[in-house]
Amino acid sequence: MALSRRVLLGRLAATGAAAAAATAGTAPARAAAAAEPDRATGTGPTASTTPPHPTAHRRVHTGFDHLSSDGYRLLDGERVGIVTNPTGVTHDVRHIVDVMHADPRVRLTAVFGPEHGFRGTAQAGGSEGRYDDPATGLPVYDTYDKTPRELQTIFTTADIDTILFDIQDVGARFYTYIWTLYDCMVAAALAGKRFVVLDRPNPVTGRAPAGPVLDRRYASFIGREPIAQTHGMTVAELALLFNGEFVPTTAGRPVHLETVRMTGWHRTDFFDETGLPWVPPSPNMPTPDTALVYAGTCLFEGTNLSEGRGTTRPFELLGADGLDRRWSEAMTELALPGVHFREAYFAPTFSKFQGKTIGGLQLHIHDRTAFDPVRTGIALLTTARRLYPSFTWLPAHFDHLTGTPTIRTLITAGADPDTITTTWQKPLRTFRKVRKRYLQYA
């Protein structure tokens, strides 16, 4: 008798998962997870596993790799919804929603799309709305710009038991996916749902955090809670920190959180060392190189200068009408570590200066280990403001990006980058101490 497409794909997925398990080592088991409390928060079980020592030709295996290679035991008997987007893929770039939907061992019943949407069709500040996914028939709910109470209603309407989260982050506080994670965790706590985070690498490494720490008075969807501008954590580590420090205050209780760790990833790894395919997490994050500069140059969203949206090198190209080579020359004189600056001219196809040729510069990273994106971003801002009287702030947005008005005030007053960076050192030290309790990888 002929097999249905769903059953056949399910068996193929199981075969691929078994191969991944053979490469990665022992997968996390639900029974073991249930018996061991979450060491970081003490608030619930975790499905973590300790990564083995890497080999010379190792490959990182994601949380989904381990979930599937363990036969989805973590989801036994559960109605499952997943928060994901185009980055939720396997090593051979099949989307995990398609894989799980085809597998009879999983009761996947709903999908929740963040900013840009589940299938990634929307630009910045947009989403795909509520629809039925043509590929699977699954209902897709829109989470973008929803409050935790609204999300609680959505989760209840979707009639699910467990919410999975699997999205590739880029390591910056103002990238909205980590706040979708936070809001969904709060909503799950309110709704009494279990929350499972499938981990993926921080593409710019998990080294020490940097930059200003959010002042809660400037909280928004690009920063809900006081973490550093570059947090140096994976999404599972952030989930543990959120659940230990913030969710109980917002929801009145922690969420029932479980995490499925990676194997083969280390804190010093950049994305191209993981063996994983890069899928743009959003339309203006085309490459891992973009993620390297984003934590610093995204600050130009809070000015009248172009941050390179509408070009093939967003956040690496910066400019405006009337800017010239003086900017790149001034930046070169600063001799900042790890980066060169090139005079550049470009015409954005959308966003600021759409269709107009403007001047500015391009960042070229030559030593990514030495490069400091936040300090570089501050130096770019101070230099541009000094050189060009046409420079202006979009003050409300800039202060939400930095999480404080202090940076803008000091740049306006003519302070140099070294003076500005000293202002966030004390809260950054505090954040580092808190962060350390939730780190899961060496």
Side-chain angles (χ1 to χ4, degrees), residues 178-378:
I178 62 172
W179 303 113
T180 293
L181 168 66
Y182 176 72
D183 288 345
C184 288
M185 288 174 64
V186 172
L190 294 171
K193 308 295 184 182
R194 187 172 63 135
F195 203 91
V196 178
V197 177
L198 307 179
D199 212 5
R200 289 185 181 268
N202 184 324
V204 295
T205 79
R207 294 177 300 172
V213 174
L214 176 81
D215 179 336
R216 276 202 178 96
R217 292 174 294 177
Y218 292 85
S220 70
F221 191 47
I222 54 175
R224 296 281 196 224
E225 299 288 355
I227 67 173
Q229 193 162 309
T230 57
H231 49 72
M233 303 179 80
T234 70
V235 288
E237 291 174 334
L238 280 169
L240 292 168
L241 184 148
F242 291 163
N243 208 37
E245 303 294 325
F246 308 130
V247 172
T249 300
T250 306
R253 67 183 72 87
V255 70
H256 179 182
L257 175 66
E258 304 187 46
T259 63
V260 185
R261 290 176 56 185
M262 300 174 283
T263 52
W265 186 76
H266 297 270
R267 307 207 75 83
T268 56
D269 289 349
F270 288 91
F271 193 84
D272 61 5
E273 297 171 301
T274 66
L276 295 171
W278 177 262
V279 175
S282 55
N284 293 289
M285 194 64 61
T287 71
D289 290 341
T290 320
L292 282 172
V293 301
Y294 175 77
T297 57
C298 184
L299 295 177
F300 280 86
E301 280 188 2
T303 75
N304 65 330
L305 273 65
S306 168
E307 65 276 10
R309 292 182 188 275
T311 75
T312 58
R313 286 291 181 177
F315 304 106
E316 296 176 57
L317 285 167
L318 306 170
D321 192 22
L323 272 61
D324 54 25
R325 68 184 308 149
R326 288 178 296 158
W327 194 16
S328 59
E329 290 172 347
M331 290 302 301
T332 298
E333 289 177 4
L334 295 177
L336 297 175
V339 59
H340 296 310
F341 300 93
R342 179 184 69 85
E343 173 190 13
Y345 299 88
F346 55 96
T349 59
F350 61 88
S351 194
K352 299 172 185 172
F353 304 103
Q354 179 178 353
K356 183 179 181 63
T357 299
I358 58 176
L361 54 74
Q362 181 178 1
L363 287 77
H364 291 264
I365 310 303
H366 63 84
D367 184 346
R368 60 190 182 183
T369 301
F371 175 65
D372 182 340
V374 181
R375 190 179 186 284
T376 300
I378 297 300

Side-chain angles (χ1 to χ4, degrees), residues 27-37 45-47 70 73-76 194 258:
R30 184 171 186 176
E36 183 179 0
T46 178
D70 196 37
R73 286 194 291 167
L74 191 61
L75 308 178
D76 282 350
R194 187 172 63 135
E258 304 187 46

